[in-house]
Amino acid sequence: MEINNQFITPMKPWTFGESVSERNTMPKESEGATLFKDIFANAVNNVKLTQADVENKQYLLATGQLEDAHSLPIAESKAAISLSMMVTLRNKALASYNELIKMNT
């Protein structure tokens, strides 16, 4: 079994006489923000792709070119699930942001 370590950041050892300010542990762009940005961008692209697939299948069905009629409801379900996932990600991000704002006041 392989362990995925993409969320684990190794700790740097402290050297004698090093202060916290010299250590400079904060990167310019946090890895978590980049990871969330990538996940959210993938979710948005997934919504665009699934919606385009639904529109294509609707066109094919309307013109009589769709060979398997069951593929349209499947594509619609995929599009609904991907949209729901994107909305959930957005809501969780906003809830987290609001919690951070409350902590600062």
Side-chain angles (χ1 to χ4, degrees), residues 18-71:
E18 181 181 36
S19 69
V20 175
S21 62
E22 291 172 348
R23 188 167 161 86
N24 194 10
T25 58
M26 293 297 293
K28 292 182 181 178
E29 182 178 356
S30 88
E31 294 171 4
T34 303
L35 181 65
F36 179 76
K37 180 175 68 172
D38 293 341
I39 290 172
F40 197 73
N42 286 339
V44 170
N45 287 334
N46 194 16
V47 168
K48 289 178 183 178
L49 289 174
T50 55
Q51 186 59 38
D53 186 41
V54 167
E55 291 172 1
N56 183 36
K57 289 188 192 279
Q58 286 173 341
Y59 172 77
L60 292 175
L61 181 67
T63 58
Q65 299 174 10
L66 189 64
E67 295 176 6
D68 50 350
H70 64 277
S71 64

Short mmCIF file of all heavy atoms in Angstrom, two decimals, residues 18-71:
data_model
loop_
_atom_site.label_atom_id
_atom_site.label_comp_id
_atom_site.label_asym_id
_atom_site.label_seq_id
_atom_site.Cartn_x
_atom_site.Cartn_y
_atom_site.Cartn_z
N GLU A 18 19.16 29.92 16.06
CA GLU A 18 18.27 30.43 15.02
C GLU A 18 16.97 30.92 15.66
O GLU A 18 16.36 30.23 16.45
CB GLU A 18 17.97 29.30 14.03
CG GLU A 18 17.07 29.71 12.89
CD GLU A 18 16.80 28.54 11.96
OE1 GLU A 18 16.68 27.40 12.44
OE2 GLU A 18 16.69 28.78 10.76
N SER A 19 16.57 32.14 15.32
CA SER A 19 15.33 32.67 15.87
C SER A 19 14.16 32.31 14.95
O SER A 19 14.35 31.86 13.82
CB SER A 19 15.42 34.19 16.03
OG SER A 19 15.44 34.80 14.76
N VAL A 20 12.98 32.54 15.44
CA VAL A 20 11.79 32.23 14.66
C VAL A 20 11.72 33.10 13.41
O VAL A 20 11.35 32.64 12.34
CB VAL A 20 10.51 32.42 15.52
CG1 VAL A 20 9.27 32.22 14.70
CG2 VAL A 20 10.53 31.47 16.70
N SER A 21 12.11 34.36 13.51
CA SER A 21 12.06 35.24 12.34
C SER A 21 13.09 34.83 11.29
O SER A 21 12.87 35.02 10.10
CB SER A 21 12.27 36.69 12.75
OG SER A 21 13.55 36.84 13.34
N GLU A 22 14.24 34.28 11.72
CA GLU A 22 15.25 33.84 10.77
C GLU A 22 14.82 32.56 10.05
O GLU A 22 15.25 32.28 8.95
CB GLU A 22 16.58 33.58 11.48
CG GLU A 22 17.25 34.82 12.00
CD GLU A 22 18.44 34.48 12.87
OE1 GLU A 22 18.60 33.30 13.24
OE2 GLU A 22 19.20 35.39 13.19
N ARG A 23 13.97 31.81 10.70
CA ARG A 23 13.55 30.53 10.15
C ARG A 23 12.70 30.73 8.89
O ARG A 23 12.81 29.96 7.95
CB ARG A 23 12.77 29.76 11.21
CG ARG A 23 12.45 28.36 10.83
CD ARG A 23 11.97 27.64 12.06
NE ARG A 23 11.24 26.46 11.71
CZ ARG A 23 11.77 25.28 11.47
NH1 ARG A 23 13.07 25.15 11.53
NH2 ARG A 23 11.03 24.25 11.16
N ASN A 24 11.84 31.77 8.86
CA ASN A 24 11.03 32.14 7.70
C ASN A 24 10.30 30.91 7.12
O ASN A 24 10.57 30.47 6.02
CB ASN A 24 11.90 32.80 6.63
CG ASN A 24 11.05 33.49 5.57
OD1 ASN A 24 9.84 33.63 5.74
ND2 ASN A 24 11.69 33.91 4.51
N THR A 25 9.35 30.39 7.90
CA THR A 25 8.65 29.18 7.51
C THR A 25 7.49 29.44 6.55
O THR A 25 7.00 28.52 5.94
CB THR A 25 8.09 28.46 8.74
OG1 THR A 25 7.22 29.34 9.43
CG2 THR A 25 9.21 27.99 9.63
N MET A 26 7.06 30.66 6.39
CA MET A 26 5.93 30.95 5.52
C MET A 26 6.40 31.12 4.07
O MET A 26 7.18 32.00 3.78
CB MET A 26 5.21 32.23 5.96
CG MET A 26 4.52 32.12 7.30
SD MET A 26 3.21 30.89 7.28
CE MET A 26 2.07 31.66 6.19
N PRO A 27 5.93 30.26 3.16
CA PRO A 27 6.27 30.44 1.76
C PRO A 27 5.50 31.63 1.18
O PRO A 27 4.55 32.12 1.76
CB PRO A 27 5.82 29.14 1.10
CG PRO A 27 4.80 28.59 2.02
CD PRO A 27 5.13 29.09 3.39
N LYS A 28 5.94 32.10 0.01
CA LYS A 28 5.28 33.25 -0.61
C LYS A 28 3.83 32.94 -0.97
O LYS A 28 2.96 33.74 -0.77
CB LYS A 28 6.06 33.70 -1.83
CG LYS A 28 7.40 34.28 -1.49
CD LYS A 28 8.15 34.77 -2.69
CE LYS A 28 9.49 35.31 -2.25
NZ LYS A 28 10.30 35.75 -3.35
N GLU A 29 3.60 31.77 -1.54
CA GLU A 29 2.23 31.33 -1.81
C GLU A 29 2.08 29.98 -1.13
O GLU A 29 2.82 29.06 -1.40
CB GLU A 29 1.98 31.20 -3.31
CG GLU A 29 0.56 30.80 -3.63
CD GLU A 29 0.31 30.73 -5.12
OE1 GLU A 29 1.20 31.07 -5.89
OE2 GLU A 29 -0.79 30.32 -5.49
N SER A 30 1.12 29.89 -0.23
CA SER A 30 1.01 28.65 0.53
C SER A 30 0.62 27.50 -0.37
O SER A 30 -0.11 27.66 -1.34
CB SER A 30 0.01 28.82 1.68
OG SER A 30 -1.28 28.51 1.25
N GLU A 31 1.11 26.32 -0.05
CA GLU A 31 0.85 25.14 -0.85
C GLU A 31 -0.63 24.77 -0.79
O GLU A 31 -1.18 24.27 -1.75
CB GLU A 31 1.72 24.00 -0.39
CG GLU A 31 3.19 24.25 -0.62
CD GLU A 31 4.07 23.20 0.04
OE1 GLU A 31 3.53 22.25 0.61
OE2 GLU A 31 5.28 23.36 -0.02
N GLY A 32 -1.27 25.02 0.35
CA GLY A 32 -2.69 24.72 0.49
C GLY A 32 -3.55 25.57 -0.44
O GLY A 32 -4.52 25.08 -1.02
N ALA A 33 -3.17 26.84 -0.61
CA ALA A 33 -3.93 27.71 -1.51
C ALA A 33 -3.78 27.24 -2.94
O ALA A 33 -4.74 27.24 -3.71
CB ALA A 33 -3.47 29.16 -1.35
N THR A 34 -2.58 26.83 -3.32
CA THR A 34 -2.36 26.34 -4.68
C THR A 34 -3.16 25.06 -4.89
O THR A 34 -3.78 24.88 -5.93
CB THR A 34 -0.87 26.06 -4.92
OG1 THR A 34 -0.15 27.27 -4.67
CG2 THR A 34 -0.62 25.60 -6.32
N LEU A 35 -3.16 24.19 -3.91
CA LEU A 35 -3.89 22.94 -4.02
C LEU A 35 -5.39 23.21 -4.15
O LEU A 35 -6.05 22.64 -5.00
CB LEU A 35 -3.60 22.05 -2.82
CG LEU A 35 -4.28 20.70 -2.82
CD1 LEU A 35 -3.76 19.86 -3.97
CD2 LEU A 35 -4.03 19.99 -1.51
N PHE A 36 -5.94 24.11 -3.33
CA PHE A 36 -7.36 24.42 -3.42
C PHE A 36 -7.68 25.08 -4.76
O PHE A 36 -8.71 24.78 -5.36
CB PHE A 36 -7.80 25.33 -2.27
CG PHE A 36 -9.26 25.67 -2.35
CD1 PHE A 36 -10.21 24.75 -1.99
CD2 PHE A 36 -9.67 26.90 -2.84
CE1 PHE A 36 -11.56 25.05 -2.09
CE2 PHE A 36 -11.00 27.21 -2.94
CZ PHE A 36 -11.95 26.28 -2.55
N LYS A 37 -6.80 25.95 -5.21
CA LYS A 37 -7.01 26.61 -6.50
C LYS A 37 -7.08 25.59 -7.62
O LYS A 37 -7.95 25.68 -8.49
CB LYS A 37 -5.89 27.62 -6.76
CG LYS A 37 -6.01 28.36 -8.07
CD LYS A 37 -4.94 29.42 -8.22
CE LYS A 37 -3.59 28.78 -8.36
NZ LYS A 37 -2.52 29.74 -8.69
N ASP A 38 -6.20 24.60 -7.58
CA ASP A 38 -6.21 23.55 -8.60
C ASP A 38 -7.48 22.70 -8.52
O ASP A 38 -8.07 22.37 -9.54
CB ASP A 38 -4.98 22.66 -8.47
CG ASP A 38 -3.69 23.38 -8.81
OD1 ASP A 38 -3.76 24.43 -9.49
OD2 ASP A 38 -2.62 22.90 -8.38
N ILE A 39 -7.87 22.35 -7.32
CA ILE A 39 -9.08 21.54 -7.15
C ILE A 39 -10.30 22.30 -7.63
O ILE A 39 -11.16 21.75 -8.33
CB ILE A 39 -9.24 21.12 -5.67
CG1 ILE A 39 -8.17 20.10 -5.30
CG2 ILE A 39 -10.63 20.55 -5.40
CD1 ILE A 39 -8.12 19.77 -3.83
N PHE A 40 -10.40 23.58 -7.28
CA PHE A 40 -11.56 24.37 -7.69
C PHE A 40 -11.57 24.59 -9.20
O PHE A 40 -12.62 24.54 -9.84
CB PHE A 40 -11.59 25.70 -6.94
CG PHE A 40 -12.93 26.37 -6.98
CD1 PHE A 40 -13.97 25.88 -6.24
CD2 PHE A 40 -13.14 27.48 -7.77
CE1 PHE A 40 -15.22 26.47 -6.28
CE2 PHE A 40 -14.37 28.09 -7.82
CZ PHE A 40 -15.41 27.58 -7.07
N ALA A 41 -10.39 24.82 -9.78
CA ALA A 41 -10.31 24.98 -11.24
C ALA A 41 -10.72 23.69 -11.96
O ALA A 41 -11.43 23.74 -12.97
CB ALA A 41 -8.90 25.38 -11.65
N ASN A 42 -10.31 22.55 -11.41
CA ASN A 42 -10.73 21.28 -11.99
C ASN A 42 -12.23 21.08 -11.88
O ASN A 42 -12.87 20.55 -12.79
CB ASN A 42 -9.99 20.11 -11.33
CG ASN A 42 -8.55 20.02 -11.77
OD1 ASN A 42 -8.18 20.53 -12.81
ND2 ASN A 42 -7.74 19.37 -10.96
N ALA A 43 -12.81 21.51 -10.76
CA ALA A 43 -14.26 21.39 -10.58
C ALA A 43 -15.01 22.26 -11.59
O ALA A 43 -16.01 21.83 -12.18
CB ALA A 43 -14.66 21.77 -9.15
N VAL A 44 -14.53 23.47 -11.81
CA VAL A 44 -15.17 24.37 -12.78
C VAL A 44 -15.05 23.80 -14.18
O VAL A 44 -16.02 23.79 -14.95
CB VAL A 44 -14.55 25.79 -12.69
CG1 VAL A 44 -15.01 26.66 -13.85
CG2 VAL A 44 -14.89 26.44 -11.36
N ASN A 45 -13.87 23.29 -14.53
CA ASN A 45 -13.69 22.69 -15.86
C ASN A 45 -14.56 21.46 -16.03
O ASN A 45 -15.09 21.23 -17.12
CB ASN A 45 -12.23 22.34 -16.10
CG ASN A 45 -11.38 23.57 -16.34
OD1 ASN A 45 -11.88 24.60 -16.80
ND2 ASN A 45 -10.11 23.47 -16.03
N ASN A 46 -14.72 20.67 -14.97
CA ASN A 46 -15.57 19.49 -15.03
C ASN A 46 -17.02 19.88 -15.27
O ASN A 46 -17.73 19.23 -16.04
CB ASN A 46 -15.43 18.67 -13.75
CG ASN A 46 -16.00 17.30 -13.88
OD1 ASN A 46 -16.25 16.81 -14.97
ND2 ASN A 46 -16.21 16.65 -12.75
N VAL A 47 -17.47 20.96 -14.64
CA VAL A 47 -18.84 21.44 -14.86
C VAL A 47 -19.02 21.88 -16.31
O VAL A 47 -20.01 21.55 -16.96
CB VAL A 47 -19.19 22.59 -13.89
CG1 VAL A 47 -20.49 23.28 -14.28
CG2 VAL A 47 -19.29 22.07 -12.47
N LYS A 48 -18.03 22.61 -16.84
CA LYS A 48 -18.11 23.05 -18.23
C LYS A 48 -18.16 21.88 -19.20
O LYS A 48 -18.96 21.87 -20.14
CB LYS A 48 -16.91 23.95 -18.57
CG LYS A 48 -16.95 25.30 -17.93
CD LYS A 48 -15.70 26.09 -18.28
CE LYS A 48 -15.65 27.42 -17.60
NZ LYS A 48 -14.41 28.15 -17.92
N LEU A 49 -17.31 20.88 -18.97
CA LEU A 49 -17.26 19.73 -19.86
C LEU A 49 -18.54 18.90 -19.80
O LEU A 49 -19.07 18.49 -20.84
CB LEU A 49 -16.06 18.85 -19.52
CG LEU A 49 -14.69 19.41 -19.86
CD1 LEU A 49 -13.58 18.50 -19.34
CD2 LEU A 49 -14.56 19.61 -21.36
N THR A 50 -19.03 18.65 -18.60
CA THR A 50 -20.25 17.84 -18.49
C THR A 50 -21.46 18.58 -19.05
O THR A 50 -22.32 17.96 -19.68
CB THR A 50 -20.52 17.42 -17.03
OG1 THR A 50 -20.56 18.58 -16.20
CG2 THR A 50 -19.45 16.46 -16.52
N GLN A 51 -21.52 19.89 -18.88
CA GLN A 51 -22.63 20.65 -19.44
C GLN A 51 -22.56 20.67 -20.97
O GLN A 51 -23.58 20.57 -21.65
CB GLN A 51 -22.64 22.08 -18.89
CG GLN A 51 -23.84 22.89 -19.31
CD GLN A 51 -25.16 22.26 -18.87
OE1 GLN A 51 -25.27 21.71 -17.78
NE2 GLN A 51 -26.17 22.33 -19.72
N ALA A 52 -21.36 20.78 -21.52
CA ALA A 52 -21.21 20.73 -22.97
C ALA A 52 -21.61 19.36 -23.51
O ALA A 52 -22.24 19.27 -24.58
CB ALA A 52 -19.77 21.05 -23.36
N ASP A 53 -21.30 18.30 -22.77
CA ASP A 53 -21.70 16.95 -23.18
C ASP A 53 -23.22 16.82 -23.18
O ASP A 53 -23.81 16.23 -24.09
CB ASP A 53 -21.06 15.92 -22.26
CG ASP A 53 -21.32 14.51 -22.72
OD1 ASP A 53 -21.25 14.25 -23.94
OD2 ASP A 53 -21.57 13.64 -21.84
N VAL A 54 -23.88 17.37 -22.17
CA VAL A 54 -25.34 17.33 -22.10
C VAL A 54 -25.94 18.08 -23.28
O VAL A 54 -26.87 17.58 -23.94
CB VAL A 54 -25.86 17.92 -20.76
CG1 VAL A 54 -27.36 18.17 -20.80
CG2 VAL A 54 -25.52 17.00 -19.62
N GLU A 55 -25.43 19.27 -23.56
CA GLU A 55 -25.97 20.05 -24.67
C GLU A 55 -25.78 19.33 -26.01
O GLU A 55 -26.67 19.35 -26.86
CB GLU A 55 -25.31 21.44 -24.70
CG GLU A 55 -25.73 22.32 -23.54
CD GLU A 55 -24.94 23.61 -23.47
OE1 GLU A 55 -24.09 23.84 -24.35
OE2 GLU A 55 -25.18 24.38 -22.52
N ASN A 56 -24.63 18.67 -26.18
CA ASN A 56 -24.38 17.92 -27.40
C ASN A 56 -25.35 16.75 -27.53
O ASN A 56 -25.93 16.53 -28.60
CB ASN A 56 -22.94 17.42 -27.42
CG ASN A 56 -22.61 16.70 -28.70
OD1 ASN A 56 -23.08 17.08 -29.77
ND2 ASN A 56 -21.80 15.67 -28.59
N LYS A 57 -25.56 16.03 -26.44
CA LYS A 57 -26.48 14.89 -26.48
C LYS A 57 -27.93 15.35 -26.68
O LYS A 57 -28.71 14.67 -27.35
CB LYS A 57 -26.33 14.05 -25.23
CG LYS A 57 -25.02 13.28 -25.21
CD LYS A 57 -24.95 12.32 -24.08
CE LYS A 57 -23.58 11.78 -23.88
NZ LYS A 57 -23.11 10.75 -24.67
N GLN A 58 -28.30 16.50 -26.13
CA GLN A 58 -29.64 17.03 -26.36
C GLN A 58 -29.83 17.38 -27.83
O GLN A 58 -30.89 17.11 -28.41
CB GLN A 58 -29.89 18.27 -25.49
CG GLN A 58 -30.10 17.95 -24.04
CD GLN A 58 -30.18 19.20 -23.18
OE1 GLN A 58 -29.74 20.28 -23.57
NE2 GLN A 58 -30.73 19.04 -21.98
N TYR A 59 -28.81 17.97 -28.43
CA TYR A 59 -28.89 18.30 -29.86
C TYR A 59 -29.01 17.04 -30.69
O TYR A 59 -29.83 16.96 -31.61
CB TYR A 59 -27.64 19.10 -30.27
CG TYR A 59 -27.54 19.31 -31.76
CD1 TYR A 59 -28.33 20.26 -32.40
CD2 TYR A 59 -26.68 18.53 -32.53
CE1 TYR A 59 -28.25 20.45 -33.77
CE2 TYR A 59 -26.60 18.71 -33.90
CZ TYR A 59 -27.39 19.67 -34.51
OH TYR A 59 -27.32 19.83 -35.87
N LEU A 60 -28.19 16.03 -30.38
CA LEU A 60 -28.25 14.78 -31.12
C LEU A 60 -29.60 14.08 -30.97
O LEU A 60 -30.13 13.51 -31.92
CB LEU A 60 -27.13 13.85 -30.67
CG LEU A 60 -25.70 14.28 -31.02
CD1 LEU A 60 -24.68 13.33 -30.41
CD2 LEU A 60 -25.52 14.38 -32.53
N LEU A 61 -30.17 14.15 -29.77
CA LEU A 61 -31.49 13.55 -29.55
C LEU A 61 -32.56 14.30 -30.34
O LEU A 61 -33.44 13.68 -30.96
CB LEU A 61 -31.84 13.54 -28.06
CG LEU A 61 -33.17 12.91 -27.68
CD1 LEU A 61 -33.14 11.41 -27.98
CD2 LEU A 61 -33.51 13.16 -26.24
N ALA A 62 -32.48 15.63 -30.34
CA ALA A 62 -33.48 16.43 -31.05
C ALA A 62 -33.42 16.23 -32.56
O ALA A 62 -34.44 16.30 -33.24
CB ALA A 62 -33.30 17.91 -30.71
N THR A 63 -32.23 15.96 -33.07
CA THR A 63 -32.09 15.76 -34.52
C THR A 63 -32.19 14.29 -34.91
O THR A 63 -32.07 13.97 -36.09
CB THR A 63 -30.73 16.32 -35.01
OG1 THR A 63 -29.68 15.67 -34.30
CG2 THR A 63 -30.67 17.82 -34.82
N GLY A 64 -32.41 13.41 -33.94
CA GLY A 64 -32.57 11.99 -34.24
C GLY A 64 -31.28 11.25 -34.49
O GLY A 64 -31.30 10.15 -35.03
N GLN A 65 -30.16 11.83 -34.10
CA GLN A 65 -28.86 11.21 -34.34
C GLN A 65 -28.33 10.45 -33.13
O GLN A 65 -27.30 9.78 -33.24
CB GLN A 65 -27.85 12.29 -34.73
CG GLN A 65 -28.20 13.03 -35.99
CD GLN A 65 -27.24 14.17 -36.26
OE1 GLN A 65 -26.21 14.30 -35.60
NE2 GLN A 65 -27.57 15.01 -37.21
N LEU A 66 -28.99 10.53 -31.99
CA LEU A 66 -28.53 9.86 -30.78
C LEU A 66 -28.97 8.40 -30.83
O LEU A 66 -30.15 8.10 -30.87
CB LEU A 66 -29.08 10.55 -29.53
CG LEU A 66 -28.52 10.11 -28.19
CD1 LEU A 66 -27.03 10.43 -28.11
CD2 LEU A 66 -29.26 10.79 -27.06
N GLU A 67 -28.00 7.49 -30.83
CA GLU A 67 -28.31 6.08 -30.97
C GLU A 67 -28.82 5.46 -29.67
O GLU A 67 -29.67 4.59 -29.69
CB GLU A 67 -27.06 5.32 -31.45
CG GLU A 67 -26.65 5.73 -32.85
CD GLU A 67 -25.36 5.05 -33.28
OE1 GLU A 67 -24.86 4.18 -32.53
OE2 GLU A 67 -24.87 5.39 -34.36
N ASP A 68 -28.29 5.89 -28.55
CA ASP A 68 -28.70 5.34 -27.26
C ASP A 68 -29.33 6.44 -26.41
O ASP A 68 -28.65 7.31 -25.91
CB ASP A 68 -27.54 4.67 -26.54
CG ASP A 68 -26.31 5.56 -26.47
OD1 ASP A 68 -26.30 6.61 -27.13
OD2 ASP A 68 -25.38 5.21 -25.73
N ALA A 69 -30.63 6.37 -26.26
CA ALA A 69 -31.36 7.44 -25.56
C ALA A 69 -31.04 7.49 -24.08
O ALA A 69 -31.25 8.52 -23.44
CB ALA A 69 -32.86 7.26 -25.77
N HIS A 70 -30.55 6.40 -23.52
CA HIS A 70 -30.24 6.39 -22.08
C HIS A 70 -28.99 7.19 -21.74
O HIS A 70 -28.76 7.51 -20.58
CB HIS A 70 -30.09 4.95 -21.58
CG HIS A 70 -28.94 4.22 -22.19
ND1 HIS A 70 -29.03 3.62 -23.43
CD2 HIS A 70 -27.68 4.02 -21.75
CE1 HIS A 70 -27.86 3.07 -23.71
NE2 HIS A 70 -27.03 3.28 -22.72
N SER A 71 -28.18 7.55 -22.71
CA SER A 71 -26.96 8.30 -22.41
C SER A 71 -27.25 9.75 -22.03
O SER A 71 -26.46 10.36 -21.31
CB SER A 71 -25.99 8.25 -23.59
OG SER A 71 -26.54 8.89 -24.71
#
